[in-house]
Amino acid sequence: MKPVVSLLVLFVFLQSCKKKSVDILIINGKVYDGINVKATGNAIAIIGDQIAEFGNIDTTKIEAKRIIDASGMIVSPGFIDPHTHADRELVKKEESHNKPFLYQGITTVITGNDGESVYPISKFKTICETNGIGTNVVPLTGHGTLRDVSGIGTLENPSEEQITKMKALLIQELENGAFGMSTGLFYSPGSFSSTEEVIELSKIVKSFNGIYDSHIRDESSYTVGLEKAIDEVIEIGKRAQLPVHISHIKCLGSDVWMLSDSLISKIKKAQSEGINITANQYPYRASATGLKSALIPKWAQSGGMDSLKHRLNQPVLRKKVLDGITKNIKRRGGGVSLVMIKAYDDSLLFKNLSDIATSYNLSESEMTVKLVLGGFIRIASFNMTPHDIHNFMKQKWVVTGSDGNTGHPRKYGSFPKKFREFVKEKQILSLGQFIVHSTSKTAEIFNILNRGSIKVKNKADIIIFDPERFTDKATFDNPFVLSEGLKYSIINGKLSLEKGKFTNQLNGKFLTRN
Ligand SMILES: [Zn+2]
């Protein structure tokens, strides 16, 4: 061999011996990639904020700055939570770590839910980037917020000029990165809008490839009824031709219990006709909402608090309001099943409406009025059946969500609870199905690119949990307890949780569409 050739051979040989250098190497884990329901590898290599290799890696050819031994552990893409209300905390520097979600394995939260968002999104982004955020954020813009900002508020028939203004605001928010628009058609001011108004706005969302996400007009039998409210979502999807998503799907209250079978058929029929309709669900039998929204009749809420007080001061109207409240209490399973979880007065906390009314020697409806006039109260309302919960959970188009607002344990426990109760104990879903429906499926629905699955070049949002210990700890009596059993959380390639402890690093990114 000529000397030049042998030098070349030596060079090539040395190159092939040189180890590949990576930042983090996860080994010995059972890796679920978020797409397949079976584990498909045991190792992941991370360089910078990206997944560099995945599968059954020959670790002898890799030099890692840090090795994480995941023996006995489940490795999964970080969970994506589609319905969080987390913007309320993310704007506060002392709470932007987002720990209640982080400890559940959530690495991305979708905000701006139920029609309510931080306005404008550009300001929200600046606040998040200035303070730092513990998880990634995917913002939606809220229809109710747009109504308020454009001066429409609770008007049932906004002027052409006001509608034009609202459309311009929507375009601005979509241009600034909103992934879509949410509505809270059950809540004021969304409840005062027509389907036509929502369709007009949804057509704009469609032109930006965004999604329509809704807390539907009625999850029970308050106004149009649950079935008609689902029909409305389908109609919006059909006429505005955009993907539509039902948040926290449920059959709320005895009037609509066991309707899940017929609702699922209805939704599947719409899907077969080409409408892209999906939903999210939290794994609890109790919902949570404002005492006022839950119990005061809609007509009596029109015009706000002053109008409500005015009505209560007129004997005939007062009786009508009280009758409506009585009906609503019955619809939600009686005063015993309505528990105060956030209140202006701490002494009310964790008591049910029935006991509070007895202690004041008032009827439950009179007590409700007194409480609503006293200040803001949020209730947990035990109003769902296991049949309907299981039925929805098994659907391919239903993903895990927390609807994490303060006072309900779901904010701290939804994902681990679903794993503990519905994967391990009741075996409604397999582990792989649970992971797919908490990661890649959600990313696909909300069009979040390069996240939600373990793939080379995807962003390195990865969690490692102990299947023996991963569980929720928050309860209705003690809702502010972090979940347990999550060993590592890696967000954008950096460690946020290490050996079960928060690293004090705020590794989240504010994501914008495209
Ligand atoms: Zn909601």
Side-chain angles (χ1 to χ4, degrees):
M1 215 185 284
K2 283 182 188 170
V4 180
V5 175
S6 54
L7 266 177
L8 191 67
V9 168
L10 182 67
F11 177 75
V12 171
F13 174 72
L14 286 175
Q15 279 299 307
S16 69
C17 292
K18 202 174 139 196
K19 289 186 173 181
K20 184 173 179 178
S21 163
V22 305
D23 293 312
I24 299 176
L25 180 64
I26 301 166
I27 54 168
N28 301 330
K30 212 173 173 189
V31 185
Y32 287 80
D33 64 6
I35 297 164
N36 293 290
V37 292
K38 293 229 154 65
T40 50
N42 61 17
I44 302 174
I46 299 168
I47 300 177
D49 66 352
Q50 282 187 343
I51 294 166
E53 272 191 63
F54 156 61
N56 294 306
I57 303 171
D58 181 356
T59 51
T60 59
K61 289 195 176 137
I62 287 190
E63 195 168 66
K65 287 187 190 137
R66 166 173 213 122
I67 294 174
I68 296 174
D69 183 356
S71 297
M73 302 284 150
I74 305 294
V75 183
S76 153
F79 298 145
I80 301 177
D81 187 342
H83 198 93
T84 64
H85 299 285
D87 26 13
R88 294 169 190 165
E89 283 88 41
L90 289 166
V91 293
K92 299 178 201 155
K93 194 170 182 177
E94 63 284 6
E95 290 182 71
S96 73
H97 49 67
N98 230 7
K99 276 190 208 167
F101 298 95
L102 196 60
Y103 275 73
Q104 293 183 58
I106 295 161
T107 54
T108 299
V109 295
I110 295 174
T111 63
N113 316 105
D114 289 352
E116 187 190 335
S117 57
V118 179
Y119 178 86
I121 277 179
S122 55
K123 183 178 144 204
F124 182 33
K125 183 169 188 265
T126 307
I127 295 171
C128 287
E129 288 177 348
T130 308
N131 292 344
I133 43 181
T135 61
N136 300 313
V137 171
V138 165
L140 299 173
T141 186
H143 164 240
T145 298
L146 296 177
R147 258 188 158 244
D148 284 339
V149 178
S150 55
I152 297 171
T154 59
L155 285 180
E156 278 184 55
N157 295 301
S159 69
E160 206 45 55
E161 198 185 341
Q162 286 168 317
I163 289 280
T164 307
K165 178 150 187 224
M166 181 161 57
K167 285 182 178 171
L169 293 175
L170 173 61
I171 290 169
Q172 168 200 295
E173 295 302 81
L174 290 162
E175 279 175 349
N176 285 328
F179 281 68
M181 177 179 78
S182 76
T183 60
L185 300 185
F186 173 70
Y187 295 111
S188 174
S191 57
F192 297 97
S193 65
S194 65
T195 308
E196 290 307 313
E197 173 183 320
V198 179
I199 289 173
E200 280 306 298
L201 296 169
S202 296
K203 285 178 181 167
I204 294 173
V205 177
K206 150 80 182 173
S207 70
F208 283 83
N209 283 324
I211 188 170
Y212 172 78
D213 167 30
S214 186
H215 179 138
I216 60 177
R217 209 175 280 275
D218 195 352
E219 295 178 322
S220 184
S221 55
Y222 279 99
T223 52
V224 298
L226 175 57
E227 288 174 291
K228 286 256 159 45
I230 300 266
D231 286 339
E232 185 181 30
V233 180
I234 294 172
E235 191 187 350
I236 293 163
K238 191 179 205 166
R239 289 186 41 210
Q241 294 192 353
L242 86 173
V244 290
H245 186 72
I246 299 167
S247 270
H248 41 62
I249 195 165
K250 64 172 83 73
C251 297
L252 190 161
S254 52
D255 289 354
V256 296
W257 280 347
M258 314 308 264
L259 264 189
S260 54
D261 297 278
S262 69
L263 295 174
I264 288 166
S265 305
K266 189 192 277 292
I267 289 171
K268 282 186 174 166
K269 181 167 173 281
Q271 288 168 335
S272 73
E273 289 164 2
I275 296 162
N276 180 349
I277 176 167
T278 53
N280 70 67
Q281 179 198 36
Y282 53 80
Y284 291 84
R285 283 187 66 186
S287 65
T289 192
L291 180 70
K292 185 170 77 162
S293 329
L295 298 186
I296 304 287
K298 287 282 166 231
W299 65 267
Q301 291 184 48
S302 166
M305 210 55 172
D306 286 342
S307 308
L308 174 62
K309 282 181 191 161
H310 173 76
R311 288 173 189 123
L312 289 167
N313 284 332
Q314 299 171 67
V316 178
L317 283 179
R318 186 181 182 92
K319 181 165 184 314
K320 209 176 146 200
V321 176
L322 291 172
D323 286 349
I325 294 173
T326 303
K327 257 191 207 148
N328 288 340
I329 293 172
K330 184 165 169 276
R331 175 176 285 130
R332 285 185 174 257
V336 181
S337 55
L338 303 174
V339 179
M340 314 295 132
I341 53 173
K342 189 176 186 196
Y344 58 89
D345 173 357
D346 280 353
S347 71
L348 297 166
L349 284 177
F350 311 124
K351 292 188 175 136
N352 70 53
L353 177 63
S354 174
D355 287 347
I356 298 170
T358 307
S359 69
Y360 277 83
N361 209 6
L362 289 174
S363 69
E364 289 180 358
S365 57
E366 285 285 2
M367 192 66 229
T368 301
V369 168
K370 190 175 167 62
L371 292 170
V372 165
L373 296 180
F376 181 75
I377 290 185
R378 185 174 294 138
I379 53 165
S381 159
F382 290 80
N383 56 42
M384 288 172 243
T385 66
H387 172 80
D388 293 322
I389 294 174
H390 297 175
N391 227 350
F392 286 129
M393 193 176 281
K394 286 185 223 158
Q395 302 307 311
K396 283 202 171 95
W397 42 272
V398 176
V399 296
T400 319
S402 70
D403 192 4
N405 53 17
T406 301
H408 190 298
R410 66 193 182 197
K411 177 173 179 170
Y412 283 70
S414 286
F415 286 71
K417 181 180 197 276
K418 188 164 169 180
F419 170 71
R420 172 184 61 75
E421 183 176 340
F422 296 96
V423 175
K424 280 169 68 178
E425 294 168 13
K426 298 189 173 135
Q427 298 174 10
I428 301 292
L429 297 178
S430 70
L431 169 60
Q433 286 170 324
F434 161 66
I435 290 176
V436 171
H437 287 233
S438 305
T439 58
S440 72
K441 188 75 198 160
T442 317
E444 181 194 314
I445 292 170
F446 285 86
N447 204 5
I448 303 166
L449 303 178
N450 308 321
R451 295 182 195 266
S453 55
I454 310 280
K455 261 192 216 166
V456 172
K457 294 221 163 114
N458 259 13
K459 295 294 177 191
D461 292 346
I462 295 164
I463 56 167
I464 302 175
F465 61 89
D466 180 350
E468 299 300 319
R469 294 192 51 235
F470 190 47
T471 191
D472 54 314
K473 285 286 169 186
T475 61
F476 284 95
D477 294 343
N478 201 359
F480 307 110
V481 190
L482 296 169
S483 287
E484 284 184 1
L486 184 67
K487 292 289 175 196
Y488 290 86
S489 175
I490 297 168
I491 303 183
N492 293 303
K494 298 203 180 79
L495 282 167
S496 291
L497 225 73
E498 186 175 9
K499 294 181 184 160
K501 294 229 158 52
F502 183 48
T503 59
N504 278 309
Q505 303 290 310
L506 303 175
N507 297 325
K509 288 246 152 57
F510 193 98
L511 309 178
T512 48
R513 194 183 33 78
N514 301 333

